[in-house]
Amino acid sequence: MSPSPTRRSLLRTAFTAGVAAPLLSACVTAGSDDDPKSQSGAKSADNPFGVKDDVPLEVVAFKGGYGDEYTKKAATAYEQRFPAAKVDHKGIQKVGEALQPRFVANTPPDVVDNTGAGRLDLATLVGAGQVSDLAELLDAPAHDDPAVKVRDTLLPGVVDDGTFDGKCVTLNFTYTVWGLWYSKSLFAQRGWTYPRTWDEMLTLCESIKAAGIAPWTYQGKYPEYINDPLLSMAAKVGGPDLVKAVDNLQPNAWKADGLKAAAEAFAELAGKGYLMSGSEALSHTEAQAAWCQQKAAFIPCGSWLESEQKDVTPAGFDMVMGAVPARTGADKLPVAAVLAASSESFLVPSKAKNRAGGLEYLRILFGKKSASDFAKTANTLPSVGGALDGLTLSSGLGSVRDAVTAAGRNTFTYRFRTWYAPLAKAVDDATGELVNRRATPTEWADRIQKAADAIAKDSSVKKFTR
């Protein structure tokens, strides 16, 4: 039986904008020996999903800044738990390009780490019914402590981050915090103090520039990196109501005072020449390498930066992350507030051959031991509570932990990037134009609002609210 045109059209666009891949024309069949229900057995306290110990498991993991060793370790633990099962583990980078045809053909892997610039568009997969509800996993006993449910081991917000229409369909393994990174040793050597307000930032940038160092650089080929501090500043000015208005596609949300103030701040940063010349043409690795060489003092990035730069960071560099400075004295969120969310997204396709095995694999992966081992090697905060207990932390990871502690309840996150990939691309493109002085703050807001309005009016796009 062929899938309906609506479903196929949904799957054709199940990509982050800009990614393309060939589509399979194979028909989708209903029911077979590979039906997921035929691949599970009796459930027990020790085997909550009824995994059959002789059924193969296929895992496709994103091999990015964190590598894929931690997903391999979970695969090894799975094979030790089920010795007759063979785990086929693949570490790749272009997840969407590789897997879109398989989702179209209803032959997906059993577990997918749907991460990276070329990831599948999760909202589209949800709309097409291609991902499993993970409630059964969340209510299962934790791998390391059967007395506790998996959901109760996760940091605040992790379940919400993966929830669509009231169902949690993906679990994110890392807890990411976004901010501005700098070398603690360089700042100490120069006598510079990290700024708490935007006025202090501009004053410091002038001193940095006078010292022959570019104040800022950014990953110019991927302007979403510099979007993060801009949107963080806007959230601090306007508070949670601004964030909700943006995510809920409310009319004129992108023209709010908070977003206008943030756009003006970054236009000023560019206008004063505080961005390193040529940044627009740099990839993330090139910009980050230049920063590690102290060609620039600040770089915006998420908390994966230390891990991603571990092979090129000079000894004694002591990278640390700070919260985005306050824009005004009347910001609705405190200066310590940070953009934070779980990331590194794992899902179990609804059409997985070994769905039970996929759930068990994630139960192992999201165990405290797995998370702690990951933190040791990746210098990154996992989304499992207590994973850092007893560990000696690097400068970067220590600063991330301190930022989360200082923020307390004042963390925030936008959901539009996950919900509406075309809007995310529109925001990225507009911000690239803004910081390269080809668009004014007003033009920036108008351009994004037009894209948001188009999505709001498009009845074919499934809408989400918060």
Side-chain angles (χ1 to χ4, degrees), residues 231 246 252-256 259-260 416 423 427 444-445 448-449 452:
L231 294 179
V246 164
N252 293 320
W254 287 92
K255 298 182 180 182
L259 283 157
K260 178 183 177 182
F416 75 86
L423 178 57
V427 177
W444 174 87
I448 298 172
Q449 190 60 57

Side-chain angles (χ1 to χ4, degrees), residues 397-443:
L397 184 54
S399 72
V400 171
R401 176 204 57 195
D402 292 346
V404 172
T405 300
R409 294 179 178 274
N410 293 303
T411 61
F412 55 89
T413 187
Y414 292 84
R415 301 294 299 276
F416 75 86
R417 183 171 294 279
T418 304
W419 289 348
Y420 310 113
L423 178 57
K425 185 177 188 304
V427 177
D428 294 345
D429 291 347
T431 299
E433 296 295 287
L434 175 74
V435 298
N436 286 287
R437 305 175 67 184
R438 293 189 294 267
T440 66
T442 298
E443 290 169 340

Side-chain angles (χ1 to χ4, degrees), residues 110-150:
D110 302 308
V111 179
V112 177
D113 175 3
N114 186 41
T115 307
R119 62 189 175 274
L120 290 156
D121 179 9
L122 182 58
T124 302
L125 291 179
V126 172
Q130 288 281 346
V131 286
S132 295
D133 183 347
L134 298 181
E136 186 179 3
L137 169 63
L138 293 172
D139 290 329
H143 185 257
D144 302 285
D145 185 358
V148 179
K149 292 181 179 180
V150 170

